[in-house]
Amino acid sequence: MRRPEGMTLTRTIPFFMKNRNPIRHRRVHREMNKQEFHAWIKDRPVILDGATGSNLQRRGMSAGVCPEEWILENKEALIGLQRAFVDAGTNIVYAPTFTANRIKLREYGLESQTRQMNLALVALSREA
Protein backbone atom coordinates (compact mmCIF):
# COMPACT_ATOMS: atom_id res chain seq x y z
CA MET A 1 0.00 0.00 0.00
CA ARG A 2 1.43 3.39 -1.00
CA ARG A 3 1.69 6.17 1.52
CA PRO A 4 -0.07 9.36 0.37
CA GLU A 5 2.36 12.07 -0.75
CA GLY A 6 3.36 14.37 2.08
CA MET A 7 2.43 11.97 4.90
CA THR A 8 5.20 11.74 7.47
CA LEU A 9 6.50 8.39 8.62
CA THR A 10 5.89 9.36 12.22
CA ARG A 11 2.17 9.22 11.70
CA THR A 12 2.53 5.47 11.58
CA ILE A 13 5.88 4.96 13.30
CA PRO A 14 6.75 7.49 15.98
CA PHE A 15 10.44 7.45 16.71
CA PHE A 16 12.71 9.01 19.23
CA MET A 17 16.27 10.03 18.61
CA LYS A 18 18.96 10.35 21.21
CA ASN A 19 21.47 13.19 20.99
CA ARG A 20 24.90 11.55 20.79
CA ASN A 21 26.68 14.28 22.76
CA PRO A 22 29.33 12.34 24.75
CA ILE A 23 28.96 14.62 27.78
CA ARG A 24 25.21 14.72 28.18
CA HIS A 25 22.48 12.57 26.65
CA ARG A 26 18.99 13.95 26.21
CA ARG A 27 15.93 12.66 24.42
CA VAL A 28 14.87 14.47 21.28
CA HIS A 29 11.58 13.81 19.52
CA ARG A 30 11.08 15.13 16.06
CA GLU A 31 8.99 14.14 13.12
CA MET A 32 10.64 13.53 9.76
CA ASN A 33 9.24 13.24 6.30
CA LYS A 34 10.19 10.27 4.12
CA GLN A 35 13.15 12.00 2.46
CA GLU A 36 14.61 13.20 5.78
CA PHE A 37 14.24 9.72 7.25
CA HIS A 38 16.05 8.11 4.30
CA ALA A 39 18.88 10.65 4.63
CA TRP A 40 19.06 10.04 8.38
CA ILE A 41 19.46 6.25 8.04
CA LYS A 42 21.79 6.40 5.02
CA ASP A 43 25.05 6.82 6.92
CA ARG A 44 24.43 5.17 10.27
CA PRO A 45 23.05 2.00 11.74
CA VAL A 46 19.55 2.43 13.10
CA ILE A 47 18.60 0.51 16.21
CA LEU A 48 14.95 -0.40 16.74
CA ASP A 49 13.32 -1.52 19.94
CA GLY A 50 12.46 -5.18 20.18
CA ALA A 51 10.72 -7.95 22.10
CA THR A 52 8.14 -5.49 23.40
CA GLY A 53 5.46 -8.14 23.90
CA SER A 54 7.79 -10.49 25.79
CA ASN A 55 9.04 -7.64 27.95
CA LEU A 56 5.49 -6.50 28.73
CA GLN A 57 4.67 -10.05 29.82
CA ARG A 58 7.66 -9.89 32.18
CA ARG A 59 6.12 -6.69 33.54
CA GLY A 60 2.80 -8.40 34.28
CA MET A 61 0.79 -8.65 31.06
CA SER A 62 -0.95 -12.04 30.98
CA ALA A 63 -1.22 -14.17 27.86
CA GLY A 64 -4.64 -13.97 26.24
CA VAL A 65 -5.44 -10.38 27.20
CA CYS A 66 -5.81 -7.57 24.70
CA PRO A 67 -2.28 -6.06 24.71
CA GLU A 68 -3.48 -2.57 23.80
CA GLU A 69 -6.08 -2.49 26.55
CA TRP A 70 -3.58 -3.83 29.10
CA ILE A 71 -1.03 -1.19 28.13
CA LEU A 72 -3.58 1.61 28.47
CA GLU A 73 -4.47 0.28 31.93
CA ASN A 74 -0.77 -0.11 32.87
CA LYS A 75 0.85 2.88 31.18
CA GLU A 76 3.94 2.98 33.38
CA ALA A 77 4.92 -0.53 32.25
CA LEU A 78 5.20 0.62 28.64
CA ILE A 79 6.74 4.00 29.41
CA GLY A 80 9.39 2.38 31.60
CA LEU A 81 10.15 -0.26 28.97
CA GLN A 82 10.48 2.24 26.14
CA ARG A 83 12.63 4.57 28.23
CA ALA A 84 14.90 1.61 28.95
CA PHE A 85 15.15 0.92 25.20
CA VAL A 86 16.13 4.55 24.55
CA ASP A 87 18.65 4.51 27.41
CA ALA A 88 20.17 1.37 25.87
CA GLY A 89 20.69 3.19 22.55
CA THR A 90 17.51 2.58 20.59
CA ASN A 91 16.93 5.20 17.89
CA ILE A 92 13.37 4.22 16.98
CA VAL A 93 10.59 3.16 19.32
CA TYR A 94 7.49 1.63 17.79
CA ALA A 95 4.07 2.54 19.09
CA PRO A 96 2.60 -0.58 20.74
CA THR A 97 -0.27 -1.00 18.32
CA PHE A 98 0.42 -4.73 17.92
CA THR A 99 -3.13 -5.71 17.03
CA ALA A 100 -4.95 -2.39 17.32
CA ASN A 101 -7.23 -2.90 14.35
CA ARG A 102 -11.00 -3.43 14.18
CA ILE A 103 -10.77 -7.10 13.27
CA LYS A 104 -8.55 -8.08 16.21
CA LEU A 105 -10.14 -5.68 18.70
CA ARG A 106 -13.55 -7.18 17.84
CA GLU A 107 -12.39 -10.34 19.65
CA TYR A 108 -12.34 -8.29 22.86
CA GLY A 109 -15.46 -6.22 22.11
CA LEU A 110 -13.30 -3.12 21.61
CA GLU A 111 -13.64 -2.50 17.85
CA SER A 112 -15.47 0.79 18.39
CA GLN A 113 -12.40 2.12 20.26
CA THR A 114 -9.85 1.42 17.51
CA ARG A 115 -9.05 5.05 16.68
CA GLN A 116 -8.98 6.24 20.29
CA MET A 117 -6.75 3.34 21.35
CA ASN A 118 -4.27 3.94 18.53
CA LEU A 119 -4.06 7.65 19.32
CA ALA A 120 -3.55 6.95 23.04
CA LEU A 121 -0.88 4.31 22.37
CA VAL A 122 1.09 6.62 20.08
CA ALA A 123 0.85 9.37 22.71
CA LEU A 124 2.33 6.99 25.30
CA SER A 125 5.30 6.24 23.07
CA ARG A 126 5.87 9.94 22.56
CA GLU A 127 5.79 10.42 26.34
CA ALA A 128 8.47 7.78 26.80
Side-chain angles (χ1 to χ4, degrees), residues 31-115:
E31 293 187 13
M32 295 182 179
N33 64 32
K34 190 175 184 177
Q35 291 77 23
E36 289 172 327
F37 180 75
H38 283 287
W40 183 69
I41 65 172
K42 180 180 176 188
D43 298 320
R44 68 181 54 88
V46 177
I47 302 170
L48 305 173
D49 68 2
T52 300
S54 300
N55 281 293
L56 288 174
Q57 287 180 338
R58 287 188 190 105
R59 291 172 181 245
M61 184 177 74
S62 301
V65 301
C66 174
E68 294 78 15
E69 184 177 41
W70 187 88
I71 289 166
L72 291 173
E73 292 170 353
N74 299 276
K75 296 173 184 173
E76 288 306 314
L78 176 77
I79 291 169
L81 175 61
Q82 290 188 333
R83 285 183 179 163
F85 282 141
V86 171
D87 290 342
T90 296
N91 301 110
I92 299 176
V93 179
Y94 287 105
T97 54
F98 311 112
T99 56
N101 60 70
R102 278 185 291 246
I103 295 168
K104 188 65 176 174
L105 291 176
R106 185 176 298 130
E107 295 176 18
Y108 304 101
L110 300 169
E111 68 273 14
S112 65
Q113 298 177 42
T114 303
R115 179 171 165 62

Side-chain angles (χ1 to χ4, degrees), residues 5-22:
E5 191 63 36
M7 178 182 268
T8 62
L9 288 173
T10 55
R11 289 185 184 164
T12 54
I13 304 173
F15 57 92
F16 300 78
M17 299 184 315
K18 195 173 190 180
N19 183 344
R20 298 295 180 187
N21 182 329

